[in-house]
C-alpha cells in the first residue's frame, strides 16, 4: 500500500511541478519588477517620462505608491504564469511524444507557446484587470476613483458593480498580447541558443544568459502594442453620456494609429522592456537550473 501511494505521488508531482515552479518564480519576480510596472502604466496613461513619473509619485504619493496593486500582481502571476508555464511544458511533452521523441522544430515550439500564452491569459485576465485598475486609480479625478483596497476587494467590487463577465473585460487584447509575447519569447530564444552555441561557441551559462536577454527584448517588442491597447481598454471610463471612448480593441488601435502614428503603440518601450526582459530572463534561467537539477537527480 505504501509503495502504491509513493508511485501515485511520483506520478502526480512531475505533472504539477511545472505549474508550481512557474507560479512561484513569477510571483518572486513581480515583487522586484512591480515598481517598474507601475511607472510603465503611468507613462502609458500620459503622465510624462519615466523620470517625471517617478519624481511625481515620490513627491505626491510616497514610496508605497510604487507597490500599489502588488496583491493583484501576485494574484496575476499565481494564475497567469502558473497556467502558462505549466501548460507549455505539458504541450511540448505531448508534441515530443507525437514526434516519436525527436526534438521539436521551431514552428511547433512557437505554436505551443502561442497556445500556452492564450490559456494563461484566459485564466489570469481577471487579476490583470484588477491590477490595471488599481495602478491607474490614483490618476483619476477623486470622484471617479474606485478605491480598491486589495486584489480580492477589486474582484468583488467588479462582480457586484459590473457583473461576472466584466472580469474578462479586455480579455481579447490580453490573450492576443500574451500570444505575441510568448511567440517572441520562444522563437527568439531558440534561435539565439543555436547562434550562441553554433556560431559563437559559447558555454552553457553564457548561452542561456545571452539568449534569455535577446528573448526578453523580442518578447517586449512583440507584445507592447497589444499591451498598450489592452491598458487603454481596461482603464477606460464612460463620459457623461455613458459612452466609452473606444468600442473595442480594433477601434482603439485604429484611433491610436490615426492620432499618434505607429510609434504611439511603443509609448514607454524602454521601461516596458526593462520590466518584461528580467521576467523573461529569470524564467529561462530558472527553468535551465531546474533542468540541470533534475538531470543530476535522474528525474
Amino acid at each position: 500500500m505504501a509503495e502504491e501511494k509513493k508511485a501515485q505521488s511520483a506520478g502526480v508531482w512531475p505533472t504539477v511541478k511545472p505549474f508550481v515552479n512557474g507560479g512561484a518564480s513569477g510571483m518572486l519576480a513581480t515583487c522586484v519588477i512591480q515598481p517598474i510596472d507601475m511607472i510603465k502604466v503611468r507613462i502609458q496613461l500620459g503622465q510624462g517620462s519615466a523620470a517625471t513619473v517617478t519624481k511625481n509619485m515620490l513627491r505626491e504619493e510616497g514610496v508605497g505608491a510604487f507597490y500599489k496593486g502588488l496583491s493583484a500582481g501576485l494574484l496575476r502571476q499565481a494564475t497567469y504564469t502558473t497556467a502558462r508555464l505549466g501548460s507549455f511544458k505539458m504541450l511540448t511533452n505531448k508534441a515530443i511524444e507525437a514526434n516519436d521523441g525527436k526534438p521539436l522544430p521551431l514552428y511547433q515550439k512557437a505554436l505551443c507557446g502561442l497556445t500556452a500564452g492564450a490559456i494563461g491569459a484566459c485564466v489570469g485576465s481577471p487579476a490583470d484587470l484588477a491590477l490595471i485598475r488599481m495602478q491607474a486609480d490614483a490618476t483619476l479625478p477623486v470622484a471617479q476613483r474606485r478605491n480598491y483596497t486589495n486584489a480580492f476587494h477589486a474582484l468583488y467590487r467588479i462582480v457586484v458593480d459590473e457583473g461576472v463577465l466584466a472580469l474578462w473585460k479586455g480579455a481579447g487584447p490580453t490573450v492576443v498580447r500574451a500570444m505575441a509575447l510568448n511567440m517572441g519569447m520562444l522563437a527568439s530564444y531558440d534561435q539565439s541558443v543555436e547562434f550562441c552555441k553554433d556560431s559563437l561557441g559559447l558555454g552553457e551559462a553564457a548561452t542561456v544568459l545571452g539568449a534569455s536577454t535577446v528573448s526578453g527584448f523580442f518578447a517586449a517588442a512583440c507584445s507592447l502594442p497589444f499591451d498598450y491597447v489592452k491598458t487603454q481598454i481596461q482603464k477606460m471610463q464612460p463620459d457623461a453620456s455613458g459612452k466609452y471612448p473606444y468600442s473595442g480593441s480594433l477601434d482603439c488601435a485604429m484611433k491610436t494609429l490615426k492620432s499618434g502614428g505607429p510609434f504611439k503603440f511603443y509609448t514607454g518601450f524602454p521601461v516596458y522592456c526593462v520590466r518584461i526582459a528580467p521576467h523573461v530572463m529569470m524564467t529561462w534561467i530558472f527553468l535551465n537550473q531546474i533542468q540541470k537539477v533534475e538531470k543530476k537527480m535522474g528525474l
Side-chain angles (χ1 to χ4, degrees):
M1 181 65 70
E3 292 181 357
E4 183 179 348
K5 288 184 178 180
K6 184 177 181 180
Q8 290 177 348
S9 177
V12 171
W13 174 240
T15 303
V16 174
K17 182 168 61 174
F19 293 90
V20 175
N21 290 343
S25 62
M27 293 174 74
L28 289 171
T30 294
C31 292
V32 178
I33 304 302
Q34 178 71 13
I36 300 174
D37 189 42
M38 188 68 184
I39 294 171
K40 183 267 297 182
V41 171
R42 294 291 182 92
I43 291 173
Q44 289 184 333
L45 296 176
Q47 292 197 344
S49 65
T52 301
V53 169
T54 302
K55 183 174 65 176
N56 290 341
M57 288 178 65
L58 283 172
R59 184 179 66 248
E60 299 172 7
E61 304 173 60
V63 177
F66 292 96
Y67 284 92
K68 188 172 292 184
L70 178 61
S71 60
L74 293 175
L75 179 61
R76 180 179 182 273
Q77 293 301 319
T79 52
Y80 166 65
T81 301
T82 298
R84 174 178 66 132
L85 295 184
S87 59
F88 176 71
K89 184 67 174 179
M90 292 181 63
L91 289 168
T92 52
N93 286 343
K94 292 292 184 182
I96 290 173
E97 289 179 11
N99 204 28
D100 298 324
K102 299 177 183 178
L104 297 179
L106 178 59
Y107 80 92
Q108 289 187 4
K109 291 180 181 179
L111 288 174
C112 289
L114 287 169
T115 305
I119 293 172
C122 288
V123 174
S125 187
D128 191 57
L129 175 62
L131 174 62
I132 292 294
R133 288 194 175 185
M134 290 178 72
Q135 289 179 328
D137 204 43
T139 68
L140 300 174
V142 176
Q144 296 182 16
R145 292 180 184 176
R146 299 178 175 95
N147 297 315
Y148 300 139
T149 56
N150 54 58
F152 295 103
H153 179 236
L155 295 175
Y156 171 77
R157 282 275 306 278
I158 292 170
V159 170
V160 171
D161 298 342
E162 306 171 49
V164 175
L165 293 180
L167 292 173
W168 280 271
K169 183 180 290 185
T174 298
V175 171
V176 173
R177 180 254 187 194
M179 293 174 70
L181 186 149
N182 283 275
M183 179 69 175
M185 174 179 169
L186 291 170
S188 62
Y189 182 80
D190 191 80
Q191 289 299 111
S192 298
V193 166
E194 293 180 6
F195 178 77
C196 290
K197 283 185 176 180
D198 300 338
S199 300
L200 300 180
L202 299 179
E204 182 181 5
T207 295
V208 172
L209 181 60
S212 62
T213 302
V214 173
S215 176
F217 174 82
F218 279 100
C222 291
S223 62
L224 181 55
F226 302 100
D227 184 80
Y228 181 87
V229 172
K230 173 181 70 71
T231 300
Q232 299 303 311
I233 292 294
Q234 289 182 328
K235 66 97 177 178
M236 68 178 180
Q237 287 202 351
D239 57 20
S241 63
K243 184 179 179 181
Y244 284 96
Y246 309 113
S247 60
S249 300
L250 182 60
D251 181 52
C252 177
M254 294 305 296
K255 287 181 178 178
T256 300
L257 184 64
K258 185 177 180 180
S259 63
F263 289 106
K264 182 67 174 178
F265 293 105
Y266 284 91
T267 300
F269 179 73
V271 175
Y272 182 78
C273 190
V274 168
R275 172 189 167 261
I276 291 295
H279 256 289
V280 174
M281 291 175 65
M282 285 186 284
T283 298
W284 286 124
I285 293 171
F286 180 79
L287 290 178
N288 178 260
Q289 294 301 311
I290 288 293
Q291 290 170 354
K292 289 171 68 175
V293 172
E294 287 177 345
K295 188 175 181 180
K296 288 181 179 180
M297 297 179 66
L299 297 176

